[in-house]
Amino acid sequence: MSSNTVLVTGGAGYIGSHVVLALREAGRPVVVVDNLVTGRREAVPSDVLLHEFDVADRARVARVLADHEISAVMHFAGSIVVSESVEDPVKYYANNTSASLALLSACVAAGVDRFIFSSTAAVYGEPSVAEVDESTPTAPISPYGSSKLMTEWMIQDIERAHPWFRAVRLRYFNVAGADPAGRTGQAGPESTHLIRVALDTALGRREALEIFGDDYDTRDGTCERDYIHVSDLADAHVAALNYLDAGGKGDVFNCGYGRGVTVKEVVAEIGRITGSPLRHRRAPRRAGDPPSLISNPVKLRASLAWEPRNAELARILETALAWQRSRVHPGTSSDQRRGAGDELTRAFDDYVPAKA
């Protein structure tokens, strides 16, 4: 391996696997570390080396860094379900904070000077502004958000102690969609992400979509989020690495499009695409859900020269739907899969995406 090799932790997961593809397309050698608890071995290209262990194992991380002469690390490994973090905070501080400390300490000891961290807009909690920029105060309302913010603090402290160490912290808003070429996508059987759950409902894999609260202070009472296509997010990681390669200093960037979409709007768009109303029902609010989270991506675009290629909601849903149709889910009968697939194929034959 060359000294240009990038280590991707969690590279067999949803976002990590898309970043692996983007790095390869940019000509970067890649090595993956993933414990495969939620990741999938088949999401990693066959010619990319996968080490199966947890990043909390500092000694094994150190060996990988040395053996492959790793020059940069992109860190995705961790737990991501907000509601679960409220119920089991210990798990989140272990998987997201403690494990990140082990990884960071190994990187510092090995002299790895470039680090890109998968953070989250959950660090902002319930912001009082319509659009969230990087100067918005951080005030997480869930252990998930707190565990990520604590890792950001550790990174900043390491940068102050070791000026040669430079890290980009990317705060994601809501990630959705799938690789347009169908190579990877969201595959966890217990996903709680709205678009994944909604499309599984459209495909007959769930009885109905639950809308968690319809009395929020938004335009239709349901939560509003800034959805970013996962391939555009992957491109932002490559842009961040290019920025660090060019001597850029450590910094934080919001990753989103700067527009909000409500739950009911997602439901309506899926119904329009499929030609059939999406089955849904009201459910109580979930702990840790802010009413609205919308990014101000000006800094990301200006500093990293990043431009999205898949920004339309229709594009996000189309690629996610194509991926989900290709997946065989346990508990779904062959008749259900065939029927849903036939119906959606007909819908896409006549489907024209809405203009911006």
Side-chain angles (χ1 to χ4, degrees), residues 31 108 114 127 148 151 182 192 200 215 222 255 262 268 303 321 347:
V31 171
V108 171
R114 282 156 288 169
K148 289 287 192 174
T151 301
T192 61
D200 276 351
D215 57 351
T222 60
C255 296
T262 69
S303 298
L321 180 56

Side-chain angles (χ1 to χ4, degrees), residues 224-242:
E224 182 180 28
R225 297 291 183 265
D226 187 342
Y227 291 95
I228 179 172
H229 194 285
V230 64
S231 294
D232 286 340
L233 182 61
D235 289 343
H237 286 77
V238 176
L241 184 55
N242 292 338

Side-chain angles (χ1 to χ4, degrees), residues 54 56 78-100 142-148 150:
D54 197 293
S79 300
I80 62 171
V81 181
V82 171
S83 57
E84 182 189 45
S85 79
V86 176
E87 298 167 358
D88 190 2
V90 171
K91 173 181 177 179
Y92 278 70
Y93 291 118
N95 291 351
N96 293 353
T97 310
S98 179
S100 294
S142 68
Y144 167 62
S146 297
S147 69
K148 289 287 192 174
M150 290 172 73

Side-chain angles (χ1 to χ4, degrees), residues 267-323:
V267 168
E269 184 68 4
I270 291 175
R272 191 180 76 83
I273 290 173
T274 63
S276 178
L278 186 69
R279 297 181 302 279
H280 62 277
R281 57 176 176 249
R282 186 187 183 283
R285 291 186 180 192
R286 293 185 301 189
D289 275 348
S292 179
L293 270 179
I294 302 172
S295 168
N296 180 334
V298 169
K299 184 178 176 182
L300 176 72
R301 289 173 180 257
S303 298
L304 303 189
W306 172 82
E307 286 295 332
R309 296 181 292 173
N310 304 279
E312 294 304 316
L313 177 61
R315 175 66 166 170
I316 293 171
L317 295 175
E318 178 182 350
T319 56
L321 180 56
W323 169 256

Side-chain angles (χ1 to χ4, degrees), residues 27 90 150 170 224 259 283 342 344-345:
V90 171
M150 290 172 73
L170 296 178
E224 182 180 28
R259 65 162 189 263
D342 291 346
L344 290 169
T345 297

Side-chain angles (χ1 to χ4, degrees), residues 46-282:
S46 58
D47 58 348
V48 170
L49 185 60
L50 168 63
H51 293 275
E52 186 181 345
F53 64 86
D54 197 293
V55 294
D57 189 334
R58 184 185 183 281
R60 294 185 72 176
V61 169
R63 286 197 295 271
V64 169
L65 296 177
D67 290 349
H68 302 295
E69 298 181 351
I70 299 297
S71 63
V73 171
M74 293 188 177
H75 180 35
F76 301 92
S79 300
I80 62 171
V81 181
V82 171
S83 57
E84 182 189 45
S85 79
V86 176
E87 298 167 358
D88 190 2
V90 171
K91 173 181 177 179
Y92 278 70
Y93 291 118
N95 291 351
N96 293 353
T97 310
S98 179
S100 294
L101 178 58
L103 174 66
L104 285 163
S105 64
C107 289
V108 171
V112 175
D113 63 349
R114 282 156 288 169
F115 193 93
I116 297 175
F117 176 54
S118 168
S119 193
T120 172
V123 301
Y124 296 114
E126 295 184 353
S128 59
V129 294
E131 287 191 359
V132 178
D133 65 22
E134 292 79 3
S135 67
T136 300
T138 53
I141 60 173
S142 68
Y144 167 62
S146 297
S147 69
K148 289 287 192 174
L149 184 58
M150 290 172 73
T151 301
E152 289 199 27
W153 289 343
M154 292 190 299
I155 288 170
Q156 289 179 288
D157 286 341
I158 291 169
E159 286 178 318
R160 282 189 283 266
H162 304 288
W164 52 267
F165 181 87
R166 294 167 297 123
V168 166
R169 293 159 283 141
L170 296 178
R171 292 174 178 168
Y172 310 162
F173 282 65
N174 280 53
V175 187
D179 173 48
R183 293 169 293 181
T184 188
Q186 197 170 17
E190 301 299 329
S191 175
T192 61
H193 291 198
L194 168 65
I195 288 177
R196 163 68 188 278
V197 173
L199 291 176
D200 276 351
T201 302
L203 288 165
R205 295 167 179 163
R206 294 176 185 253
E207 180 183 346
L209 170 70
E210 290 187 317
I211 296 179
F212 296 102
D214 60 2
D215 57 351
Y216 287 97
D217 185 19
T218 60
R219 56 182 169 270
D220 61 20
T222 60
C223 286
E224 182 180 28
R225 297 291 183 265
D226 187 342
Y227 291 95
I228 179 172
H229 194 285
V230 64
S231 294
D232 286 340
L233 182 61
D235 289 343
H237 286 77
V238 176
L241 184 55
N242 292 338
Y243 162 85
L244 291 176
D245 286 348
K249 65 181 181 63
D251 210 340
V252 59
F253 301 95
N254 286 346
C255 296
Y257 295 144
R259 65 162 189 263
V261 179
T262 69
V263 176
K264 286 184 178 178
E265 288 167 347
V266 170
V267 168
E269 184 68 4
I270 291 175
R272 191 180 76 83
I273 290 173
T274 63
S276 178
L278 186 69
R279 297 181 302 279
H280 62 277
R281 57 176 176 249
R282 186 187 183 283

